[in-house]
Amino acid sequence: MRAAIRLAEDGVRAGRGGPFGCVVVRRGEIVGRGINRVTSTNDPTAHAEVTAIREACAKLKTFQLADCELYTSCEPCPMCLAAIYWARIPVVFYGNTRRDAAAIGFDDDFIYQQMPLPPEQRAIRMQPLLRTEAQTAFREWAAKPDKVRY
């Protein structure tokens, strides 16, 4: 956890993005490090957890981190939490809470409130389009005998 906190502090001091740091650990060894790089890379997905997961997956040559733990300086936002689930990380330790983050201007509560709403009730307009055409790729995937499930 201290490594994640140090990364958060270093990121703030270097002006790379928000005050967030993260490490992915496997068998006591850090295999992925991440800091928030949203503003320095103009990438809204460059949160500390996502960058740490990307680094760990690249290093371990896998898209599943089921034998890892994640340490992050703050409770994950909805996007990062989803990435953690997709990576199959079974344990997350965090320092600051999402309420602590809201107190300094990082309020993810709006996104948390939007997630359970049906698509037609969300603040972002979501409209189905060309579903019949889109189904082709799904049918091909379903029939593909050598697919790698994830």
Side-chain angles (χ1 to χ4, degrees):
M1 179 57 82
R2 287 188 179 93
I5 293 168
R6 277 192 303 277
L7 285 169
E9 293 167 350
D10 292 347
V12 169
R13 292 173 188 146
R16 293 197 179 112
F20 307 100
C22 180
V23 294
V24 176
V25 175
R26 182 179 184 220
R27 297 184 197 125
E29 176 192 351
I30 294 175
V31 293
R33 289 176 174 78
I35 63 168
N36 182 286
R37 297 174 189 257
V38 170
T39 58
S40 61
T41 62
N42 296 315
D43 179 355
T45 69
H47 289 202
E49 295 89 344
V50 171
T51 57
I53 289 169
R54 288 175 180 163
E55 184 175 287
C57 288
K59 180 177 182 174
L60 299 174
K61 296 179 177 29
T62 182
F63 55 85
Q64 293 189 353
L65 303 172
D67 59 348
C68 295
E69 301 158 350
L70 187 136
Y71 296 80
T72 181
S73 64
C74 186
E75 182 178 355
C77 76
M79 176 185 69
C80 294
L81 183 58
I84 291 163
Y85 274 101
W86 279 115
R88 310 293 195 264
I89 299 171
V91 180
V92 174
F93 299 95
Y94 62 91
N96 294 302
T97 68
R98 67 190 209 198
R99 284 172 188 72
D100 296 330
I104 62 167
F106 294 93
D107 195 353
D108 301 329
D109 195 48
F110 174 73
I111 301 170
Y112 277 106
Q113 291 173 15
Q114 291 284 300
M115 299 298 286
L117 295 176
E120 65 275 4
Q121 292 180 14
R122 293 181 184 147
I124 295 174
R125 183 176 148 209
M126 299 189 70
Q127 183 172 337
L129 182 64
L130 300 176
R131 181 171 181 255
T132 302
E133 289 182 40
Q135 288 288 305
T136 301
F138 275 25
R139 283 191 300 274
E140 289 179 19
W141 175 260
K144 187 175 174 57
D146 62 340
K147 63 184 160 238
V148 177
R149 295 190 182 273
Y150 61 95

